Amino acid sequence: MLGFLRFLAGVMLLVAVLAGVYDATRSMAADRYLATSCLDHWSHIAPDNLAKVRTLVRRNVAPAAWDAGIVKVLELPAWALFGGAGLLLGYAGRRRRRVNVFAN
């Protein structure tokens, strides 16, 4: 289980680096900081999937859950969202140090 969390953390951090490079190249070309949100990436890559998830959450949970909660999280820059998730998963999947409680 811990190995899977570390693998997932690596994938998330890789996506964060790719999103950061994408934002950096756009920012250098525009001579100002441009950050692309995760919602923008999702709407460009898979708009049908986004519409289905939006409908699913609004129907099964609550319309306010999508509008007030999930959209606010998805509007974060993609590099920050994936980087934070990758760091949390990496911390959760770290190797624990064994402590010998019977040592004198």
Side-chain angles (χ1 to χ4, degrees), residues 15-28 79:
V15 171
V17 168
L18 292 174
V21 168
Y22 177 77
D23 287 347
T25 55
R26 287 184 58 223
S27 296
M28 285 190 285
W79 61 266

Side-chain angles (χ1 to χ4, degrees), residues 51-72:
K52 288 178 185 176
V53 170
R54 179 185 303 131
T55 304
L56 182 92
V57 169
R58 284 184 173 173
R59 185 180 334 128
N60 294 331
V61 180
W66 178 263
D67 297 331
I70 296 174
V71 169
K72 297 293 183 193

Side-chain angles (χ1 to χ4, degrees), residues 31-69:
D31 289 332
R32 62 185 175 97
Y33 178 67
L34 296 173
T36 307
S37 70
C38 195
L39 189 63
D40 290 340
H41 281 298
W42 196 0
S43 65
H44 283 79
I45 293 171
D48 295 335
N49 188 352
L50 176 63
K52 288 178 185 176
V53 170
R54 179 185 303 131
T55 304
L56 182 92
V57 169
R58 284 184 173 173
R59 185 180 334 128
N60 294 331
V61 180
W66 178 263
D67 297 331

Side-chain angles (χ1 to χ4, degrees), residues 76-94:
L76 291 172
W79 61 266
L81 186 66
F82 283 104
L87 290 175
L88 287 175
L89 286 172
Y91 182 74
R94 74 190 185 285

